[in-house]
Amino acid sequence: MDIKNNVLAFSEKLRSTNCKLVAVSKTKPNEVILEAYQAGQRVFGENKVQEMTEKHQSLPDDIEWHMIGHLQRNKVKYIAPFVSLIHSVDSMKLLKEVNKQAAKNDRTIEVLLQIHIAEEDTKFGLDKNELFELVHDIELPEMKNIKVVGLMGMATFTENQEQIRREFKMLKDLFIEIKKEYTPENVQIRELSMGMSGDYEIAIEEGSTLIRVGSSIFGSRNTH
Ligand SMILES: *Cc1c(COP(=O)(O)O)cnc(C)c1O
């Protein structure tokens, strides 16, 4: 894999769009991440708390670390000092913990709400009703150390392009709807995180503002 070239190719592809690249570096060692960094990439996505924390400690300070994987409440404290965006908030309980740990670190943490859009059954993500319940929760306006800035979703893992497009459209519609909704000051919807290596082209066409791309940049991961 020519990582530098891949990063440059993505920035070329995204130049005329409103979309940014999150380079998903999970399982990849620091030297590989540095190759992308040297090509100008600054936003990296990880899905494990310990791995992200270790990488943050040894890599340049101007990297923005995005948590894209399922996050357990008892681990929020480890990433709260430095994480720049959490894509995977899927409950009020988790949001409260992020708020608490952000306050301890005297900062505001931006988060996305993960929405369940795939027709296939997956464990994670809010449905539409849960999303509206959450943004209207009476406790939300009091949470001064978080800011909800958008939605994240993962399409079904399928060859069926029409299905993927349909799922992304659903998320985009929800994004538009929630933007119009009357919400507290700490909800300012601007980001729509959708699209991975297999489906980012459709995601960009459907209005993604953050694509999360791993294997198309870094090569395939060893799966266990
Ligand atoms: C691993 C991962 C990605 C990137 O997947 P690729 O297919 O390698 O691009 C994107 N989003 C999430 C949530 C992931 O866990």
Side-chain angles (χ1 to χ4, degrees), residues 41-198:
Q41 183 63 28
R42 291 294 179 272
V43 182
F44 291 88
E46 291 283 336
N47 69 339
K48 296 221 161 65
V49 165
Q50 189 178 348
E51 187 176 342
M52 185 164 96
T53 305
E54 284 168 8
K55 286 174 175 174
H56 159 72
Q57 281 163 2
S58 43
L59 287 163
D61 271 344
D62 61 343
I63 289 180
E64 290 176 32
W65 293 101
H66 288 199
M67 174 48 66
I68 62 169
H70 182 65
L71 181 58
Q72 288 174 295
R73 265 182 292 155
N74 60 355
K75 293 191 174 164
V76 174
K77 57 178 177 285
Y78 301 113
I79 61 169
F82 68 90
V83 67
S84 82
L85 182 64
I86 302 174
H87 291 230
S88 47
V89 170
D90 63 355
S91 72
M92 194 60 189
K93 277 180 168 177
L94 179 57
L95 195 57
K96 274 187 193 171
E97 180 62 16
V98 174
N99 184 58
K100 180 177 152 191
Q101 296 301 332
K104 273 192 188 170
N105 286 278
D106 202 18
R107 59 188 298 247
T108 301
I109 296 179
E110 297 197 335
V111 308
L112 306 180
L113 301 174
Q114 183 170 353
I115 309 298
H116 182 248
I117 54 168
E119 287 167 17
E120 71 186 348
D121 229 20
T122 55
K123 281 178 287 183
F124 305 121
L126 304 161
D127 64 25
K128 183 176 172 171
N129 289 335
E130 292 168 332
L131 168 66
F132 280 82
E133 246 173 58
L134 196 151
V135 299
H136 292 135
D137 193 301
I138 54 163
E139 293 187 73
L140 187 58
E142 306 312 315
M143 297 164 69
K144 306 294 185 197
N145 294 83
I146 52 109
K147 197 180 213 182
V148 177
V149 298
L151 306 180
M152 180 273 231
M154 285 168 89
T156 303
F157 188 70
T158 173
E159 295 285 294
N160 185 338
Q161 309 283 296
E162 286 316 306
Q163 182 178 353
I164 294 169
R165 191 177 294 279
R166 194 161 64 235
E167 293 174 359
F168 285 156
K169 271 189 200 296
M170 216 164 69
L171 187 59
K172 176 66 186 283
D173 287 346
L174 209 49
F175 172 79
I176 292 169
E177 226 181 300
I178 204 79
K179 257 166 101 108
K180 289 190 201 141
E181 197 74 1
Y182 182 78
T183 55
E185 224 177 301
N186 58 355
V187 179
Q188 289 183 23
I189 303 292
R190 56 179 158 83
E191 302 290 354
L192 183 56
S193 168
M194 60 186 194
M196 311 174 28
S197 291

Side-chain angles (χ1 to χ4, degrees), residues 199-210:
D199 56 20
Y200 69 83
E201 277 146 328
I202 303 175
I204 294 168
E205 287 168 12
E206 297 305 331
S208 174
T209 70
L210 289 170

Side-chain angles (χ1 to χ4, degrees), residues 1-11 13 21-26 28 32 36 195-201 211-221:
M1 276 300 204
D2 187 340
I3 291 163
K4 209 161 179 171
N5 244 343
N6 293 344
V7 168
L8 295 175
F10 266 98
S11 59
K13 252 188 270 243
L21 171 67
V22 179
V24 176
S25 49
K26 62 192 188 195
K28 301 295 174 185
V32 166
M196 311 174 28
S197 291
D199 56 20
Y200 69 83
E201 277 146 328
I211 51 171
R212 311 176 308 270
V213 178
S215 42
S216 285
I217 293 170
F218 297 112
S220 60
R221 293 174 294 274

